[in-house]
Amino acid sequence: MHIWVDADACPNAIKEIIFRAAKRTDCPLTLVANHSVQVPAYADMLIVPSGFDGADNKIVELLTAGDLVITADIPLAAKVLDKGGYVFSPRGEEYTTRNIGDRLSMRNFLESFRGGAEPVGGGPPPLNNRDKANFANRLDRFLAKHKT
């Protein structure tokens, strides 16, 4: 199993949790972004050209069934699930074949309002300690169960 991180928008606090977990479990880890992100020696950094969905497409291209992807990008999460991967958001929510359809529908609904005169929503609230703990706990449980 390999851990892939959609690093363009992943909060630094979550990256640090992922770094510690990957080192502790000796799990291969690759961050993918369109800009350089500092990673520890035991992790890989893959820089893709800037452009629409560059990092997303590279992750989908390289992942294999059973890999874990960390992303807040709902369309990427759907593609990962289609390839047999696992997906967590940086807040610790697991995307599954059961819930991804609802998430895609809501995302597409909200996307239809973008560009209008009045903004719809302001994005997710800032990451708090409960979010970080939720992510860390979910990642630890997942790695304990799936890391061979």
Side-chain angles (χ1 to χ4, degrees):
M1 181 190 56
H2 196 109
I3 300 172
W4 300 92
V5 179
D6 181 8
D8 284 326
C10 187
N12 287 332
I14 298 304
K15 286 183 223 162
E16 291 299 323
I17 292 167
I18 297 166
F19 293 154
R20 288 192 301 271
K23 183 176 184 181
R24 185 179 64 253
T25 60
D26 197 30
C27 190
L29 170 63
T30 303
L31 282 76
V32 182
N34 62 19
H35 63 281
S36 183
V37 174
Q38 188 171 353
V39 298
Y42 53 85
D44 293 316
M45 178 68 223
L46 182 58
I47 300 173
V48 298
S50 293
F52 187 70
D53 290 338
D56 299 358
N57 293 337
K58 183 56 77 173
I59 290 170
V60 171
E61 174 190 330
L62 296 174
L63 80 93
T64 60
D67 286 353
L68 173 63
V69 175
I70 310 300
T71 186
D73 186 295
I74 304 298
L76 172 57
K79 292 174 187 173
V80 170
L81 292 170
D82 286 344
K83 282 194 76 173
Y86 298 94
V87 189
F88 294 160
S89 79
R91 294 179 184 274
E93 178 184 12
E94 182 173 6
Y95 299 120
T96 66
T97 55
R98 282 188 236 121
N99 68 19
I100 197 67
D102 290 341
R103 302 299 187 283
L104 276 169
S105 294
M106 180 58 74
R107 178 214 176 262
N108 292 338
F109 175 73
L110 293 173
E111 182 79 14
S112 69
F113 287 105
R114 288 193 182 157
E118 295 184 37
V120 176
L127 201 63
N128 61 41
N129 288 336
R130 175 179 256 162
D131 296 327
K132 291 181 239 178
N134 184 42
F135 178 84
N137 290 335
R138 181 167 305 269
L139 181 60
D140 284 345
R141 284 191 311 268
F142 178 87
L143 291 174
K145 182 177 178 182
H146 292 90
K147 182 74 173 110
T148 55

